[in-house]
Amino acid sequence: MDAERLVAVLVMLVICSIIHGADAENRHVFLNWEVSYAVRAPLGVAKRVITINGRFPGPLLNLTTNDVAHVNVVNALDEPFLLTWNGLQMRRNSWNDGVAGTNCGIPPGQNWTYVFQAKDEVGSFFYRPSLGLHAAAGGHGPVRVNNRPVVAVPFARPDGGELDVLIGDWYNMETKVRRASPPICSTAVSTIKCTVNVICVWLEQRMREHLDRGRDLPSPDGILINGLGPYQADIRFEPGRTYRLRVSNVGARTSLSFRIQGHKLLLVEAEGTYTQQRHYASLDVHAGQSLSVLVVADQQPRPYYMVVSSLFVQPELFGVANVLYSNSNNSGEQRPPPGRAPLDGASSHNGYGRSMEQARTVRTNLTCGGPRPNPQGSFRYGRINVTRTLLLRNGDDQIAGRRRCTVNGVSFADAATPLKLADRLGVAGVFAVVSGAPEARRRPALGTAVIDARYRDFVQVVFENPLPSLQTWHLDGYSFFVAGMGWGKWTPNARSTYNLVDAIYRSTVQVYPASWTAVFVSLDNEGIWNLRSQDLGRRYLGQETYIRVSQGTSEVPDPRDELPMPSNALLCGKAKPSKLGRA
């Protein structure tokens, strides 16, 4: 074995030994996913979508706390591709986060294997594409992280089982620019396939060109439930049984209201945190958010509807699934008449106040365990001194004659070299460090902005939204305590209104129009982590940044704090094989 291969093997052994630790019970899950295009028409209009192993949505990633996942992604698309794991914390491992600032895209026709551990995590999450506008074309799927058998769950095991419910807005317009001319239908045999291609080409360029002109995405064309249009998806209930529904909003931008006709929703978990249990008639699920509810099939055994409606956009849109009870005489299911869903009682388009009040009722269950047996309330965040406050103000600005979305006046521009690679390999000039606060004299500009933060600091992050539309923010690598929300501009005096006892601990949070949201985060996970808008169009136009969490030295981090660079790391941009000693 030559020296280079020996070094690579030794690095992988170190990584495996650190990930696995001394606990021989850690399970390894090996998956092979092929990412490819397919044509689907969930709303009756043919569109090229992204599938995983031919499925839309993609397959379930089903893990248990501390499992190690090995996900080999084969890219059969005609452009680079990455998956990111929305809500999974990737402890010590931003190398596998799957965004443009940490990873080179997987080239067409090649593969790359993600290796990560669901370390000290439980909950409901999802994966999705992260490059460009891929997320608007599918490629998403559910993620479950289950409790270990030795850790009690704060509710009886649902005797009806668990169901993944992926909801989201849908655009018929295509996401990818294609310059090829549409084919000509010359034979009867090819007419159907050719017609689909013509429709796809007709839709091409619309989404990207729309955004490149500096315009917001229009209202979506509809709402999907598990990749299907209205009245196409079936949810099956057995009378008297209880079901856990893991609900995720995987859409491009739209906040959604989720409800089931005639049934109460008992909220039990939100993005890895068990909640105080409370019944709701409907729940708001903003873009990128996940939650779990328990539903008891305690109604008369007849057809019902699951209704998902858009919030704060016009016209109001509805996704509808059929809820089918099996008959008491076991003769089968009663199917509802199509198009009869009760769409009355729909949420108000202007109900921001109602939505904020509901958000304040979602709180952490302090007495139950989470991924570990110790109570979730053991970490008393309200008693910890804040070492730093970041104030992040989103905006719309004109830069070089075009509208861009900004954070503190900077519109993020992706670099050819992932920031994580540049940082580790000492490649200069790839990104610029910014303060993490608005600067009065700064003119709006493009930039590859990174906020420096010290490992183990306890930081307050204030998201300030002066715009008339709701914003949703997500931080990779972490969850945070959603301590406060309020109208107008944030001031330090707002702390008197914070929830310092049982705030929900999650990774995606909404910021209402002309308002602010304050969160607390303990920076105990070294790496470079993406902080982004969950509005796909706004992120595409620059509303994101990165936070570099480090100990402030130029030395390679201790593997106990951050894992070594994977030996299979893809290189691109200024990150050359020569910098790693590769041939």
Side-chain angles (χ1 to χ4, degrees):
M1 181 181 295
D2 59 35
E4 181 182 340
R5 292 182 60 193
L6 177 60
V7 170
V9 170
L10 290 174
V11 168
M12 286 304 295
L13 287 174
V14 169
I15 293 173
C16 289
S17 65
I18 295 170
I19 287 180
H20 305 165
D23 185 358
E25 296 181 358
N26 293 342
R27 183 176 65 125
H28 289 252
V29 177
F30 293 88
L31 298 167
N32 193 67
W33 289 355
E34 182 177 86
V35 179
S36 61
Y37 293 122
V39 173
R40 298 285 192 276
L43 296 179
V45 177
K47 173 179 174 174
R48 187 169 58 175
V49 304
I50 295 174
T51 66
I52 297 180
N53 292 346
R55 296 171 60 178
F56 170 75
L60 168 67
L61 175 57
N62 197 15
L63 303 173
T64 297
T65 302
N66 295 337
D67 279 356
V68 180
H70 305 251
V71 186
N72 180 46
V73 175
V74 180
N75 181 11
L77 308 182
D78 57 3
E79 57 185 332
F81 181 82
L82 285 173
L83 283 175
T84 192
W85 316 91
N86 201 81
L88 293 181
Q89 293 186 10
M90 300 287 159
R91 303 296 299 177
R92 300 175 294 160
N93 192 9
S94 60
W95 298 108
N96 280 264
D97 197 33
V99 292
T102 60
N103 297 85
C104 300
I106 304 169
Q110 298 187 30
N111 71 293
W112 193 71
T113 301
Y114 293 85
V115 182
F116 56 88
Q117 185 179 24
K119 179 67 174 174
D120 291 337
E121 289 188 270
V122 293
S124 307
F125 312 100
F126 64 94
Y127 59 85
R128 74 190 314 176
S130 66
L131 297 183
L133 298 172
H134 283 165
H140 51 252
V143 177
R144 301 180 193 172
V145 183
N146 306 290
N147 281 79
R148 293 175 293 159
V150 297
V151 180
V153 176
F155 47 85
R157 182 179 298 276
D159 56 359
E162 300 191 4
L163 302 172
D164 300 297
V165 183
L166 303 184
I167 60 178
D169 56 19
W170 187 250
Y171 288 85
N172 289 329
M173 64 174 65
E174 287 277 355
T175 62
K176 181 178 183 295
V177 176
R178 254 172 62 185
R179 303 184 186 281
S181 300
I184 298 174
C185 301
S186 56
T187 67
V189 175
S190 66
T191 297
I192 295 177
K193 181 178 180 181
C194 177
T195 301
V196 168
N197 286 338
V198 169
I199 293 173
C200 287
V201 171
W202 174 69
L203 291 167
E204 293 289 6
Q205 304 187 17
R206 289 182 61 197
M207 182 173 284
R208 188 167 296 183
E209 287 183 354
H210 198 93
L211 291 169
D212 285 343
R213 291 171 184 162
R215 294 150 61 183
D216 274 330
L217 289 175
S219 293
D221 295 294
I223 307 296
L224 304 188
I225 300 176
N226 286 341
L228 299 172
Y231 305 99
Q232 299 302 308
D234 291 339
I235 308 295
R236 291 179 166 82
F237 284 175
E238 291 286 337
R241 294 194 174 182
T242 299
Y243 296 83
R244 180 178 182 178
L245 275 56
R246 296 178 183 256
V247 182
S248 293
N249 184 340
V250 299
R253 65 189 292 246
T254 307
S255 297
L256 300 172
S257 173
F258 175 83
R259 57 195 181 274
I260 299 179
Q261 177 193 10
H263 295 72
K264 295 180 180 178
L265 309 175
L266 181 64
L267 181 66
V268 295
E269 177 255 333
E271 294 164 29
T273 297
Y274 291 118
T275 64
Q276 295 179 19
Q277 295 180 17
R278 175 173 173 166
H279 282 104
Y280 296 84
S282 66
L283 277 164
D284 293 357
V285 190
H286 302 282
Q289 292 186 336
S290 300
L291 53 83
S292 286
V293 295
L294 298 184
V295 178
V296 181
D298 57 0
Q299 301 301 302
Q300 291 296 318
R302 64 174 180 81
Y304 296 88
Y305 295 97
M306 175 183 292
V307 179
V308 180
S309 57
S310 61
L311 291 169
F312 320 127
V313 298
Q314 295 196 35
E316 190 168 16
L317 301 169
F318 296 91
V320 181
N322 307 307
V323 177
L324 308 177
Y325 271 70
S326 61
N327 289 336
S328 57
N329 60 8
N330 295 320
S331 63
E333 297 161 338
Q334 298 181 34
R335 297 198 65 82
R340 301 283 183 87
L343 303 182
D344 56 317
S347 301
S348 169
H349 291 300
N350 300 311
Y352 291 117
R354 174 208 57 80
S355 183
M356 184 184 288
E357 287 306 308
Q358 183 184 92
R360 288 171 172 158
T361 68
V362 179
R363 300 187 174 200
T364 295
N365 182 332
L366 298 179
T367 59
C368 73
R372 296 185 177 185
N374 52 300
Q376 292 183 138
S378 300
F379 188 83
R380 299 184 179 182
Y381 67 93
R383 299 183 182 182
I384 302 174
N385 291 328
V386 172
T387 55
R388 182 182 180 189
T389 294
L390 303 178
L391 177 58
L392 305 180
R393 182 179 298 149
N394 60 268
D396 287 344
D397 291 288
Q398 290 292 317
I399 300 175
R402 290 190 177 185
R403 171 182 169 268
R404 296 279 299 186
C405 299
T406 58
V407 182
N408 293 344
V410 178
S411 183
F412 192 87
D414 280 318
T417 307
L419 315 184
K420 182 64 182 171
L421 284 175
D423 187 51
R424 179 56 54 87
L425 300 179
V427 180
V430 172
F431 59 86
V433 175
V434 296
S435 67
E439 299 177 17
R441 297 183 180 181
R442 175 184 289 276
R443 296 184 60 185
L446 294 174
T448 306
V450 173
I451 299 169
D452 257 345
R454 288 191 62 85
Y455 183 50
R456 297 200 181 280
D457 272 2
F458 188 72
V459 174
Q460 175 178 231
V461 182
V462 179
F463 300 100
E464 200 172 79
N465 176 24
L467 301 180
S469 58
L470 181 143
Q471 308 293 314
T472 311
W473 286 93
H474 174 82
L475 176 59
D476 283 352
Y478 289 94
S479 289
F480 40 65
F481 296 94
V482 184
M485 297 178 176
W487 305 107
K489 286 189 175 183
W490 177 87
T491 69
N493 293 332
R495 186 179 172 93
S496 65
T497 68
Y498 287 4
N499 177 354
L500 299 178
V501 178
D502 57 4
I504 190 63
Y505 184 63
R506 66 189 315 166
S507 60
T508 303
V509 69
Q510 69 274 21
V511 190
Y512 294 95
S515 76
W516 55 267
T517 296
V519 305
F520 292 135
V521 56
S522 179
L523 298 180
D524 59 356
N525 194 14
E526 281 204 52
I528 291 184
W529 301 105
N530 187 221
L531 178 60
R532 62 179 175 272
S533 171
Q534 293 283 50
D535 180 321
L536 182 62
R538 295 192 66 84
R539 184 190 184 194
Y540 179 84
L541 291 176
Q543 190 172 312
E544 65 175 319
T545 189
Y546 283 80
I547 298 179
R548 178 172 61 178
V549 179
S550 71
Q551 299 185 39
T553 69
S554 58
E555 298 178 1
V556 175
D558 187 318
R560 292 172 296 181
D561 297 326
E562 183 178 10
L563 296 180
M565 179 177 173
S567 61
N568 69 336
L570 298 173
L571 302 181
C572 55
K574 296 179 180 179
K576 304 297 184 183
S578 58
K579 289 188 173 289
L580 295 175
R582 297 182 186 175

